[in-house]
Amino acid sequence: MSTDSRACDAVVVGAGFAGLCMLHRLRGIGLTARVFEAGTGVGGTWFWNRYPGARCDVESLEYSYQFSDELQQEWEWTERYASQPEILRYLNHVADRFDLRRDITLQTRVASATFDETANRWTVRTDAGDEVSARFFIMATGCLSSTNTPAIPGRETFAGPMLHTGRWPHEPVDFTGKRVAVIGTGSSAIQAIPLIAEQAAHLTVFQRTANFSVPAQNRPLAAEEQRAIKRDYADLRGRGAQMAFGFDTRSSELSALAVSAAERQAEYEDRWAQGGLPFLGSYADMLFDRAANATAADFIRGKIRALVRDPAVADVLTPKGIVGCKRLCSDTDYFATFNRPNVTLVALAASPIEAITEGGVRTAAALHEVDCIVFATGFDAMTGPLLRVDIRGRGGRTLRDKWAEGPRTYLGLSSAGFPNLFIITGPGSPSVLSNMVPSIEQHANWIAACVAWMDARGLRRIEASPEAEDAWVAHVNEVADATLYPSCNSWYLGSNIPGKPRVFMPYLGFPAYVEKCAQVAAGGYEGFALA
Ligand code: FAD
Ligand code: NAP
């Protein structure tokens, strides 16, 4: 174990769900670790995304840690889908309950990390001038932590406040009496729009691509319902672990095309009434077969037409593509919000944004005067936070250079040429195509077990072999190519960021992935070179 205060066994970057859990696991195997977090508090996603309506869309009882039975028994969730303040309270409770804060340095961004091949150590430097030497360098930087604010001409001339959903201010934002613009109609916008519309004098929504959304059917969690789950929590966790997305989607094994239209309608109505993302579990071929998918897409389109009174507005809000190809959204009163007299929908497909002016947003068709602009324009997902750090592996090669044509990893956990670097929920792992908390825990457990195994054998270096990495990348692509995911533009493919290579980044299939990771470990870390 290291004794020098500027040296430790591991540096962990980020103090969200992943960083907190990783720190706890490393301590559990007797290692010293330092966590650096750019924010002024712990919580990651739930620290930064404070916009109105922010909440999880995987049920709270599943979107939570399972590493401590005491924790999962004692924490009481108040709603089916917890709000951002509640999840942030939970993560702060975790930090206190497991005494994590003493190893976390806040308000400090890791700027670079360089591998020393002789010492088998990483030298990690921060923007605050820290320099720390560590055996392991663990990126818990999140998939959705680098915000994307499009470079719209004239942005700097706007006279009023400009906010991004992913960097929301800590003090309350009051839209009363204001004319507000929201740019974007992804998950964040779909949660924020109904609440902003209630407060603002006028809300103008700038939509580039219409999105599929299903009602969350959020509600308070009844004490008895929560007690019943907690009596056999392992049952719920076990069911989730068997599902492709790592949570209980009540997935059917039937094809949508093997049942009658009336049966399908009943199934979709039932899932719509139950609410949330398990809508995608209705049929096994939903994400594999265009005709099967079209039955669900048409069902949602019908719902939009029924919910939105003005047929012209309904038409603009109706998505044309494949449901689930972009991440499915889950909402409370999103479509009905467009019935309000103080809400205007602007279809950018017909008239793109040309500029932001001092007083508003100008499209090819009109100038929309507003007092405030909300960018709900998403993130440079998955690779963004990793590549913002200057990571240099063997031979001084940078990760940015290696990934110039798209990310390449073995199991999403590791990249050839970068020994002793681990990535939590990296590209090539189920990550954003799964309930992320179990995915994060599975990675933290795997990494801790791997390090403990190495230490027991006096091994100092682990590195993915190029062959294992190539085979894994090919497998990730093969799995993706069998689905409908590559057929649209989504942030899963990097296509929301101009110039980003078009590569499908996450791996579909939580259970198969967990099994593969377990096999690799059981086989003495197959596919890795150990020294
Ligand atoms: P994060 O929570 O993103 O934490 C990473 C941390 O690393 C950040 O705090 C960041 O500041 C820090 N960091 C990054 N780079 C550096 C650096 N160089 N130096 C220092 N610190 C750095 N997933 C689900 O499964 N279900 C949901 O319902 C769900 N809802 C979501 C809602 C929103 C609004 C968003 C944006 C995402 C949602 N997600 C959801 C995905 C969510 O990101 C993950 O579930 C999870 O919170 C990720 O945790 P993490 O610790 O891996 O990353
Ligand atoms: P997003 O899904 O990437 O949505 C961004 C929106 O901004 C899209 O509508 C996009 O349009 C639009 N946009 C981007 N650049 C634009 C430009 N230059 N001009 C006009 N419009 C532009 O981002 P997000 O809504 O923040 O969500 C990201 C992910 O975070 C989600 O997919 C989900 O995984 C997670 N999340 C989850 C929840 C939840 O319910 N629990 C809530 C929020 C976020 P195009 O579609 O045309 O690109």
Side-chain angles (χ1 to χ4, degrees), residues 26-146:
L26 291 170
R27 282 196 192 155
I29 55 167
L31 263 60
T32 55
R34 277 189 76 178
V35 178
F36 289 105
E37 165 56 56
T40 55
V42 303
T45 289
W46 305 103
F47 171 86
W48 296 108
N49 291 261
R50 297 167 186 246
Y51 61 83
R55 58 179 68 251
C56 55
D57 60 2
V58 168
E59 296 195 28
S60 319
L61 284 158
E62 294 184 87
Y63 187 70
S64 48
Y65 290 123
Q66 51 195 299
F67 67 77
S68 157
D69 193 47
E70 293 76 22
L71 172 68
Q72 69 177 5
Q73 289 295 335
E74 75 197 11
W75 185 265
E76 292 287 314
W77 294 106
T78 65
E79 291 179 273
R80 181 181 183 193
Y81 300 104
S83 65
Q84 172 273 327
E86 187 166 349
I87 304 173
L88 185 58
R89 267 199 306 282
Y90 169 76
L91 287 167
N92 275 289
H93 169 74
V94 169
D96 292 331
R97 195 189 187 290
F98 298 96
D99 186 25
L100 300 176
R101 293 189 199 274
R102 63 187 157 87
D103 288 325
I104 302 174
T105 307
L106 296 171
Q107 245 181 309
T108 306
R109 182 169 285 281
V110 168
S112 70
T114 306
F115 188 67
D116 176 338
E117 295 179 52
T118 317
N120 286 326
R121 295 184 76 90
W122 285 91
T123 304
V124 181
R125 293 189 180 86
T126 74
D127 64 358
D130 308 90
E131 185 178 301
V132 184
S133 163
R135 291 164 53 207
F136 296 97
F137 181 54
I138 304 177
M139 293 297 275
T141 41
C143 294
L144 298 162
S145 63
S146 291

Side-chain angles (χ1 to χ4, degrees), residues 45-46 49 51 53-58 63 81-82 87 144 148-152 164-166 182-192 206-211 216 277 326-331 348 352-353 375-381 432-433 436 489-492 495-498:
T45 289
W46 305 103
N49 291 261
Y51 61 83
R55 58 179 68 251
C56 55
D57 60 2
V58 168
Y63 187 70
Y81 300 104
I87 304 173
L144 298 162
N148 165 44
T149 306
I152 299 170
H164 191 291
T165 49
V182 170
I183 301 179
T185 50
S187 298
S188 302
I190 280 176
Q191 288 185 328
F206 293 84
Q207 173 193 278
R208 190 163 68 179
T209 313
N211 238 322
L277 304 182
K326 284 177 189 278
R327 191 177 184 281
L328 182 61
C329 304
S330 170
D331 73 273
L348 299 179
I353 296 178
F375 287 94
T377 43
F379 302 88
D380 181 357
V432 292
L433 278 190
M436 289 203 68
N489 288 327
S490 70
W491 58 258
Y492 295 140
S495 47
N496 62 328
I497 303 295

Side-chain angles (χ1 to χ4, degrees), residues 265-346:
Q265 184 72 12
E267 180 67 24
Y268 292 146
E269 286 290 0
D270 180 49
R271 299 238 176 195
W272 187 268
Q274 304 243 7
L277 304 182
F279 186 85
L280 285 178
S282 310
Y283 294 103
D285 48 358
M286 187 90 104
L287 293 166
F288 296 88
D289 184 287
R290 275 177 191 272
N293 189 280
T295 64
D298 284 344
F299 173 85
I300 299 181
R301 292 183 190 118
K303 288 290 184 192
I304 297 170
R305 280 193 295 275
L307 285 165
V308 180
R309 278 199 295 272
D310 181 338
V313 175
D315 194 43
V316 174
L317 285 169
T318 300
K320 303 216 171 1
I322 287 165
V323 57
C325 191
K326 284 177 189 278
R327 191 177 184 281
L328 182 61
C329 304
S330 170
D331 73 273
T332 301
D333 296 334
Y334 174 65
F335 292 112
T337 296
F338 292 88
N339 295 330
R340 295 176 64 103
N342 70 331
V343 176
T344 306
L345 178 65
V346 176

Side-chain angles (χ1 to χ4, degrees), residues 469-513:
E469 178 169 292
D470 289 348
W472 183 251
V473 169
H475 176 61
V476 172
N477 287 328
E478 185 187 32
V479 171
D481 288 343
T483 72
L484 299 171
Y485 283 115
S487 65
C488 69
N489 288 327
S490 70
W491 58 258
Y492 295 140
L493 284 152
S495 47
N496 62 328
I497 303 295
K500 192 164 168 171
R502 189 180 169 93
V503 172
F504 190 77
M505 294 182 282
Y507 177 72
L508 176 65
F510 182 73
Y513 175 82

